[in-house]
């Protein structure tokens, strides 16, 4: 298929673009390089620098589908600058959808998020794995803006026959060969811990140790970027005109911040000092996915699910010179 990958110079977009190229698809990566890196676009894919709000000309070349990753994606930043998130994530996607309709491109795989759910429902006193049928009550503008896109996609499937699949990611981590997380301002837990092991930082801050969890730190569900990317290829094939399907993507197992630090210590052999800090605004205590639906309906099977493997792959990639500078 001839495919457009928006955000194809970013972490997840570049891994998906690489797997699509490996599968023989004709891939164009569109990225404004606001947070991505041109050298992250896999060889074998065409790179176009530009905004999703100006994709009409490109789409008029004729594409079979769009995989849409380009977005603002930091919870903390979204709390500080909500309008930026509404404008980029919802406004940008509406412009992209208009351009798709005008040029007759009907297939879309959308990068959604666990943040659409907000605080998970309680099962007795314990939170349980989140299902796609659970209520969506985002606790930050990032999650709210992504939920607004999901709502739009459902409407457009009914109104215009759009063939859409949203994948709601939990915590994506690890690396795929040379493709790894490279953010100018790194906010994510695993890359920040590995910076300590690399000697780039003295310690890692633990954002809150008074949450209602076993050790007081937040629990998250970490999914390997290679497994997550594979789900996009399955989703692409599953897109059906007039429907919008939503699937969670996680491992089904939660790890606390302290447990993640411990695994990183084992993998790197570094002591990794921690400093207890205040809670980060907008962070729910526990987010764990049920991925039963995508396993059952699309046959997705995570092959690199263990946290040790995820951290080991991230650790290997950030020591590989071909990855380029971690800026
Ligand atoms: N976290 C932390 N220290 C850091 C970065 C993150 O304690 O330097 C915590 C954060 O509060 C959250 C978890 O680690 O509970 C995962 O955060 P991350 O930013 O990696 O992903 P998110 O869950 O926000 O998508």
């Amino acid at each position: 298929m001839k495919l457009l990958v928006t955000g194809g110079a970013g972490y997840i977009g570049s891994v998906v673009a690489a797997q699509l190229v490996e599968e023989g698809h004709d891939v164009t990566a569109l990225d404004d390089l606001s947070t991505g890196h041109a050298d992250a676009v896999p060889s074998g894919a065409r790179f176009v620098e530009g905004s999703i709000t100006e994709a009409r000309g490109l789409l008029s070349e004729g594409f079979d589908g769009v995989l849409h990753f380009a977005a603002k994606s930091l919870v903390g930043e979204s709390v500080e600058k909500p309008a930026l998130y509404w404008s980029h994530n919802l406004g940008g996607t509406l412009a992209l959808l208009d351009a798709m309709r005008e040029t007759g491109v009907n297939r879309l795989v959308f990068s959604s998020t666990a943040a659409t759910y907000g605080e998970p429902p309680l099962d007795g006193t314990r939170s349980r794995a989140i299902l796609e049928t659970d209520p969506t009550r985002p606790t930050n503008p990032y999650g709210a803006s992504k939920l607004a896109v999901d709502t739009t996609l459902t409407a457009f499937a009914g109104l215009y026959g759009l063939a859409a699949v949203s994948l709601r990611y939990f915590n994506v981590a690890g690396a795929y060969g040379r493709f790894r997380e490279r953010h100018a301002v790194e906010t994510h837990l695993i890359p920040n811990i590995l910076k300590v092991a690399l000697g780039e930082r003295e310690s890692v801050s633990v954002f809150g140790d008074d949450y209602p969890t076993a050790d007081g730190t937040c629990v998250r569900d970490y999914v390997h970027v290679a497994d997550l990317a594979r789900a996009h290829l399955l989703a692409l094939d599953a897109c059906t005109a007039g429907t919008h399907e939503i699937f969670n993507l996680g491992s089904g197992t939660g790890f606390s911040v302290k447990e993640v630090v411990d695994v990183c210590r084992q993998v790197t052999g570094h002591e990794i000092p921690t400093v207890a800090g205040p809670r980060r605004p907008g962070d729910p205590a526990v987010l764990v996915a049920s991925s039963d639906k995508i396993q059952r309906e699309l046959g997705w099977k995570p092959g690199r699910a263990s946290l040790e493997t995820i951290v080991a792959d991230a650790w290997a990639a950030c020591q590989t010179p071909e990855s380029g500078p971690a800026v």
Side-chain angles (χ1 to χ4, degrees), residues 172-230:
V172 189
Y176 184 65
R178 74 180 180 95
F179 301 102
R180 65 179 172 100
E181 278 189 86
R182 288 194 280 157
H183 298 123
V185 180
E186 188 51 76
T187 64
H188 290 129
L189 180 62
I190 292 176
N192 273 342
I193 298 173
L194 295 181
K195 277 180 189 289
V196 181
L198 283 168
E200 294 175 14
R201 293 177 56 154
E202 283 187 5
S203 62
V204 65
S205 299
V206 174
F207 297 151
D209 58 5
D210 57 350
Y211 283 96
T213 59
D215 65 18
T217 65
C218 284
V219 170
R220 294 288 181 275
D221 179 342
Y222 295 86
V223 56
H224 198 295
V225 69
D227 288 333
L228 179 106
R230 190 62 55 195

Side-chain angles (χ1 to χ4, degrees), residues 227-266:
D227 288 333
L228 179 106
R230 190 62 55 195
H232 292 73
L233 279 71
L234 298 171
L236 194 62
D237 286 338
C239 285
T240 305
T243 68
H244 173 222
E245 283 290 339
I246 295 174
F247 297 100
N248 289 343
L249 269 180
S251 69
T253 308
F255 289 89
S256 71
V257 173
K258 284 185 180 168
E259 287 171 329
V260 175
V261 172
D262 282 342
V263 170
C264 291
R265 286 177 177 145
Q266 284 162 29

Side-chain angles (χ1 to χ4, degrees), residues 10 25 44 49-50 60-61 73 99 115 137 169 183 286 291 303 307:
H25 294 289
E49 185 175 344
S60 64
E61 283 178 14
S73 63
R137 299 185 191 118
Y169 312 154
H183 298 123
V286 182
S291 297
L307 188 57

